[in-house]
Amino acid sequence: MTPERIHSGPAVIVATETTVHPCNHPNEVAGQAMRSSAADQTYCDRLVQDTPFLTGHGRLSEQQVDRIILQLNRYYPQILTNKEAEKFRNPKASLRVRLCDLLSHLQRSSERDCQEFYRALYIHAQPLHSRLPSRHALRPMSFLAGLGLAVGLALLLYCYPPDPKGLPGTRRVLGFSPVIIDRHVSRYLLAFLADDLGGL
């Protein structure tokens, strides 16, 4: 009996690419989005992360979705053509299917298109916009940026105190006192935590 020859060469692993529809597998899509750094997220990245939340039951009404589609259709230059807007507003399809198709279409579009979607969402569904998962991911980064500024100003004032013999007005520029500097920094930090259009 002749023994079989065993091939000892390197193993070859064949990887196949699968396309995951963001509305059919929300946990997988959300996990992929969360693995990227919040500071490096683009608007399209944020849309991938927010899609499972936006397509949840009762999150967006028929009227809100229609208004968002119309705004994207009327924007110049157009983000949605007349034909695309008609498709996403087709009453024969369910609201969730149309919304999933719209978000999938925008994810394949440009960064500008995704940004304008968030602008339209803010205008027509502001309470929902403030609860987006991507916004909660950005807030800690904003706080750290503000904290870094506060530490930098404190070190600057500590290492280079204003010289009374220096140029006139130096003390006025630095605010005379670390207490005043601290008050301004506190206002700066609170501004990062506020929900406004700057957070779009």
Side-chain angles (χ1 to χ4, degrees):
M1 181 176 181
T2 305
E4 295 182 359
R5 292 185 178 181
I6 301 176
H7 181 64
S8 59
V12 178
I13 301 176
V14 179
T16 58
E17 181 179 354
T18 57
T19 302
V20 179
H21 195 287
C23 296
N24 292 340
H25 300 272
N27 293 333
E28 182 172 349
V29 174
Q32 292 172 355
M34 289 299 292
R35 281 193 289 270
S36 62
S37 172
D40 298 332
Q41 275 190 327
T42 64
Y43 284 99
C44 292
D45 292 335
R46 290 178 57 187
L47 188 56
V48 172
Q49 180 181 348
D50 292 332
T51 290
F53 175 81
L54 291 170
T55 55
H57 179 70
R59 292 277 163 69
L60 283 169
S61 67
E62 185 100 23
Q63 292 78 12
Q64 288 173 321
V65 173
D66 281 349
R67 289 169 185 167
I68 291 172
I69 292 172
L70 287 175
Q71 181 168 332
L72 297 178
N73 173 243
R74 293 168 181 170
Y75 184 88
Y76 182 82
Q78 279 184 328
I79 293 175
L80 296 178
T81 64
N82 294 341
K83 184 176 181 180
E84 289 169 342
E86 184 179 351
K87 170 189 173 183
F88 297 134
R89 297 183 67 207
N90 183 8
K92 294 181 180 179
S94 69
L95 175 61
R96 187 175 186 273
V97 169
R98 289 187 282 124
L99 183 57
C100 284
D101 290 342
L102 171 64
L103 298 181
S104 299
H105 172 81
L106 292 173
Q107 289 171 21
R108 297 189 298 267
S109 301
S110 66
E111 178 74 358
R112 176 188 69 94
D113 295 354
C114 293
Q115 182 178 8
E116 289 305 320
F117 168 79
Y118 278 103
R119 193 183 306 276
L121 183 67
Y122 180 88
I123 293 172
H124 302 293
Q126 185 174 351
L128 185 68
H129 179 274
S130 65
R131 294 159 46 207
L132 291 173
S134 64
R135 286 184 59 81
H136 291 289
L138 289 172
R139 281 171 184 161
M141 302 303 298
S142 300
F143 175 78
L144 290 176
L147 183 61
L149 175 66
V151 172
L153 287 175
L155 287 174
L156 179 66
L157 192 63
Y158 178 79
C159 297
Y160 301 97
D163 187 0
K165 298 179 181 179
L167 295 175
T170 302
R171 282 183 173 272
R172 286 196 298 272
V173 173
L174 289 177
F176 286 99
S177 166
V179 175
I180 298 179
I181 291 289
D182 179 67
R183 184 169 67 247
H184 289 296
V185 170
S186 298
R187 291 175 182 172
Y188 180 80
L189 290 173
L190 289 174
F192 272 103
L193 301 178
D195 288 328
D196 54 15
L197 276 172
L200 286 178

